[in-house]
Amino acid sequence: MTTNDMPRWATAFVLPVLNLLSALLVAALVIHLLGEDPVDSMRILVNSAIVNPEGLSYTLFYASTFVFTGLSVSIAMQAGLFNIGSEGQMYFGGLGLTLAMLALDASLPWWLLIPVGILGAAVFGALWAFLPGYLQAKRGSHIVVTTIMFNFIAASLMNFIIVKYLIPPGEQNTASRVFSAAAEMPRLNTWFPVLGDTPLNVSFLFAIAALAIYGVMVWRSPWGYKLRATGLNKHAAHYAGVKISGMIIAVMAISGALAGLGSVNSIMGSTHYLSLNFVGGAGFVGIAIALMGRQHPVGIFLSSVLFGALIQGGFDLSLEKPNIPTETFIFIQGLIILFCGAMENLYAPVIVKLAKKG
């Protein structure tokens, strides 16, 4: 029994909600076993991450990065490709952004510098994803295997570049120098003081724009039709005139560019320098977001906000509930991936039966 047997409203809404509730119920059981009240814990998490304006600002800040990694995985899935290399592509995109900033932040005004940094992040992310795409299209190398390897290669390469070339003389911190003020993304609290002193910046608006562009390109353009045809049946798409190898390479480059853009929020919007492991697992969270959001713009946004809320609320919850370690929320993320990915059709037979009776 698959999602193909269910009505669209069930696959788009009911099934993801049931899977999410199942993950949260298991998480509630674990919290109970840790000796804490699950209901009170949920109250603290929601108040910290959603109700409190400053907490909501942090939630949206984290979500801004997750939108880009979720889009990165989603657009590859539309072509039938499982790109799990967004982590490395975002890492490499951060390098492109940083090189542009280090070279130009002393000479360009902010209105030129910021677009150049964004372009550098996208280009480097695209280049890092182009290679697995080319190997898949031209040599038949499986995209899952190559993108996994490229994650490790990116981590090792970035470690070498930062330690060897980017650490300022006399500094011990494994990071580049701080960029000039011209390289800082404008923060939204400039226009909305209620958000407090938080790092939420215009990258959030860029993320919303990216979701809209993704929706139009995938479902409202001839190229998007070819993309989805490739994902549904490569042989049929080939006989319909789609150049499969070219589509695979192009989609992977776009996927990598989107992952690279995730570094803009993290670096230009927050730290203002490149550090080791700045990605912090955002590329892997993108996989869960793409699965849970069903590769739909609205679903990707809501899933990104959910994972942002788990991070933000998790910090405060672990402080107020000492029996709940911060690692618990990594476990909850894993549960969501499990129920929305490997077990996504758990409730499909029941929903199909109910739909037929209705």
Side-chain angles (χ1 to χ4, degrees):
M1 189 71 64
T2 68
T3 55
N4 294 328
D5 302 311
M6 293 188 292
R8 188 173 179 179
W9 56 265
T11 58
F13 178 74
V14 175
L15 198 59
V17 169
L18 288 175
N19 291 333
L20 174 61
L21 290 175
S22 299
L24 294 178
L25 283 173
V26 175
L29 175 61
V30 171
I31 291 173
H32 175 72
L33 293 175
L34 290 172
E36 299 290 355
D37 181 7
V39 176
D40 189 46
S41 299
M42 179 61 70
R43 180 190 59 80
I44 294 172
L45 192 149
V46 171
N47 285 337
S48 172
I50 303 296
V51 177
N52 180 274
E54 187 170 329
L56 176 61
S57 180
Y58 273 103
T59 295
L60 296 179
F61 168 73
Y62 298 127
S64 301
T65 298
F66 295 154
V67 164
F68 283 107
T69 56
L71 285 173
S72 172
V73 178
S74 294
I75 197 165
M77 283 184 170
Q78 295 288 352
L81 303 170
F82 194 19
N83 175 23
I84 56 176
S86 294
E87 186 87 358
Q89 292 148 21
M90 180 176 166
Y91 215 163
F92 210 64
L95 175 63
L97 183 158
T98 299
L99 293 178
M101 294 300 99
L102 296 179
L104 302 170
D105 66 347
S107 57
L108 291 183
W110 69 269
W111 53 271
L112 277 179
L113 187 63
I114 289 176
V116 169
I118 293 172
L119 180 62
V123 169
F124 270 59
L127 287 174
W128 200 247
F130 166 83
L131 295 171
Y134 178 85
L135 292 173
Q136 166 84 25
K138 301 296 185 179
R139 295 292 182 266
S141 302
H142 201 286
I143 202 73
V144 171
V145 176
T146 53
T147 50
I148 287 176
M149 292 191 299
F150 270 64
N151 281 337
F152 288 100
I153 294 171
S156 300
L157 182 61
M158 290 292 288
N159 182 73
F160 169 75
I161 291 174
I162 292 174
V163 172
K164 181 73 174 178
Y165 298 107
L166 297 185
I167 299 178
E171 294 289 334
Q172 298 298 319
N173 186 29
T174 52
S176 71
R177 67 165 174 83
V178 177
F179 308 150
S180 71
E184 296 180 9
M185 295 291 283
R187 294 192 174 184
L188 295 186
N189 58 14
T190 304
W191 302 286
F192 305 100
V194 68
L195 297 175
D197 187 19
T198 64
L200 182 64
N201 58 84
V202 296
S203 294
F204 175 70
L205 304 181
F206 293 157
I208 299 299
L211 286 167
I213 294 170
Y214 166 81
V216 171
M217 289 298 296
V218 171
W219 283 282
R220 293 292 185 268
S221 73
W223 182 83
Y225 176 81
K226 294 177 182 178
L227 169 70
R228 289 180 287 120
T230 302
L232 291 171
N233 192 316
K234 288 183 173 61
H235 297 292
H238 171 73
Y239 285 111
V242 179
K243 187 177 180 182
I244 303 301
S245 60
M247 179 61 74
I248 290 174
I249 294 172
V251 169
M252 283 302 298
I254 295 171
S255 177
L258 287 166
L261 288 173
S263 66
V264 174
N265 183 56
S266 300
I267 298 177
M268 294 177 69
S270 178
T271 61
H272 309 124
Y273 58 82
L274 177 68
S275 61
L276 280 177
N277 303 318
F278 79 91
V279 180
F284 297 118
V285 171
I287 298 173
I289 289 168
L291 292 171
M292 185 176 172
R294 301 288 178 177
Q295 301 95 60
H296 190 278
V298 175
I300 293 169
F301 175 75
L302 294 177
S303 301
S304 299
V305 171
L306 170 66
F307 278 89
L310 285 175
I311 292 177
Q312 170 57 24
F315 290 145
D316 286 355
L317 183 58
S318 60
L319 291 175
E320 294 197 32
K321 302 284 188 180
N323 289 335
I324 303 178
T326 54
E327 290 79 11
T328 303
F329 299 94
I330 299 176
F331 171 72
I332 294 175
Q333 291 177 7
L335 285 175
I336 294 173
I337 295 173
L338 175 66
F339 279 95
C340 294
M343 300 171 62
E344 66 172 344
N345 293 323
L346 178 65
Y347 299 104
V350 176
I351 294 174
V352 170
K353 288 181 180 179
L354 292 175
K356 288 180 178 179
K357 288 181 180 179

